[in-house]
Amino acid sequence: MPSPRRILLLLASMVGAALVGWIAAASMAPETRARSSRQAEDLQVELLMQQLQNQDELSEAERGLLLERLVTLERLQEAEVVLQPWLSGRSTPRELTMFKADLQRRNGQPEAARCSLQHLLRLHPNDLQVLQLLVLLDQDQGRQRQVTAELTARFKGLEPGQRLEIGLLLADLLRQSGSDQTAMRLYGQLATENKTDARPLLALALLRQEQGNSEAVQTLLKQARERRDANGRIDPLIDVVAAQLGLSAARSTGSEPSSATASLEGSDRP
């Protein structure tokens, strides 16, 4: 059974690349990314760290490689030091500031991380990835109730059609806190508001799987597969979720269980 945080990350963070991946893609030369020997990489990390200690300048590709390896090795404080020069320019990419905030969170600097994220939210209100990091930070600090209230206020302040991602994040927080029925109503509301998007149905399928209702899961996956984006394509996340659940997304059912149908009705706001 997927853990609560795993479901949150599976459904909500699909909107963008992982931050470490962004660093690698944005900064590292192809030949650097293709390093095959982990031992050679680890040796190179030590050599690059020695260069930094000797105040030698690193290229952007070298700094990107060093940052990626330090994070992989959980040497997070050193990673924060390596990241700092990228943040000294006049225009810092949002992704780098987010990366710094996540390092601060993981390094036990919650207030510094919160300051970075609040600054980003002033520049990018309702940015999903920033909100995700803020949610993780609040969860680390045991502020589940406060962050749920804040997300509810943000959700209600947006118009239908503009709040799907925040709604998915909010519904998952509700589910984590044990408010399954409220989460189900919100997933149903989001599915009604966004008739071509499969994600609310997939989230509901994951919740139904947790409840042991495999018949409803199959129906919801079938309904999700019937949805198409603007280009007429099926969301590839359907097969990802089906694989997570060990099910076939293409399997059809003779009739739709009333429990699954009811999940899309009664779209009361949280």
Side-chain angles (χ1 to χ4, degrees):
M1 180 183 299
S3 68
R5 180 165 294 193
R6 189 167 149 205
I7 293 174
L8 184 154
L9 295 176
L10 173 65
L11 289 168
S13 13
M14 296 292 283
V15 296
L19 294 178
V20 174
W22 184 91
I23 293 290
S27 306
M28 295 167 59
E31 63 271 18
T32 305
R33 292 198 304 269
R35 311 280 183 184
S36 59
S37 168
R38 181 171 181 174
Q39 184 176 6
E41 285 181 345
D42 291 343
L43 176 60
Q44 187 170 16
V45 164
E46 298 308 321
L47 292 174
L48 291 173
M49 287 298 297
Q50 187 63 47
Q51 282 184 245
L52 279 181
Q53 292 169 7
N54 294 336
Q55 298 184 334
D56 294 336
E57 188 64 32
L58 297 182
S59 70
E60 211 170 76
E62 290 172 328
R63 194 172 292 275
L65 171 64
L66 181 56
L67 179 59
E68 183 187 33
R69 293 297 299 145
L70 288 173
V71 171
T72 300
L73 295 170
E74 294 290 324
R75 293 165 61 174
L76 302 179
Q77 292 183 345
E78 292 168 290
E80 195 172 340
V81 172
V82 173
L83 178 63
Q84 189 57 41
W86 263 327
L87 302 171
S88 60
R90 291 183 179 179
S91 178
T92 301
R94 153 187 162 280
E95 289 86 353
L96 286 180
T97 303
M98 289 171 59
F99 192 79
K100 176 186 177 183
D102 194 45
L103 284 177
Q104 290 170 330
R105 178 184 71 84
R106 297 168 67 184
N107 278 331
Q109 305 169 53
E111 293 311 314
R114 187 178 301 280
C115 182
S116 298
L117 293 173
Q118 293 292 358
H119 173 70
L120 280 176
L121 280 179
R122 286 192 291 272
L123 298 174
H124 309 281
N126 299 315
D127 184 290
L128 179 63
Q129 289 181 312
V130 178
L131 286 171
Q132 283 177 297
L133 277 180
L134 196 56
V135 165
L136 292 176
L137 178 62
D138 283 330
Q139 287 181 320
D140 291 343
Q141 296 183 287
R143 298 182 71 251
Q144 181 100 357
R145 183 175 299 177
Q146 293 93 324
V147 71
T148 301
E150 291 167 8
L151 275 182
T152 299
R154 286 182 180 275
F155 177 81
K156 291 183 176 180
L158 295 172
E159 296 295 325
Q162 301 176 350
R163 57 190 184 181
L164 173 60
E165 285 80 11
I166 289 180
L168 288 171
L169 189 58
L170 172 59
D172 194 70
L173 283 174
L174 291 167
R175 184 188 55 74
Q176 290 182 51
S177 65
S179 302
D180 282 7
Q181 292 302 315
T182 306
M184 286 173 59
R185 288 196 298 270
L186 181 52
Y187 286 137
Q189 178 182 344
L190 293 171
T192 301
E193 290 180 359
N194 304 272
K195 297 185 182 300
T196 62
D197 200 302
R199 286 175 292 172
L201 296 174
L202 296 177
L204 192 53
L206 287 166
L207 178 53
R208 286 301 199 183
Q209 176 74 2
E210 285 189 335
Q211 296 171 339
N213 192 334
S214 58
E215 189 179 8
V217 170
Q218 291 289 355
T219 298
L220 288 162
L221 288 175
K222 180 176 181 293
Q223 291 173 350
R225 184 165 285 279
E226 290 169 354
R227 296 195 166 194
R228 301 289 190 276
D229 64 15
N231 297 316
R233 292 176 298 198
I234 297 172
D235 191 335
L237 186 56
I238 296 171
D239 291 326
V240 174
V241 172
Q244 289 282 331
L245 300 178
L247 300 170
S248 169
R251 188 186 305 171
S252 61
T253 55
S255 61
E256 296 182 3
S258 58
S259 57
T261 305
S263 300
L264 302 182
E265 298 174 353
S267 58
D268 297 338
R269 294 174 185 264

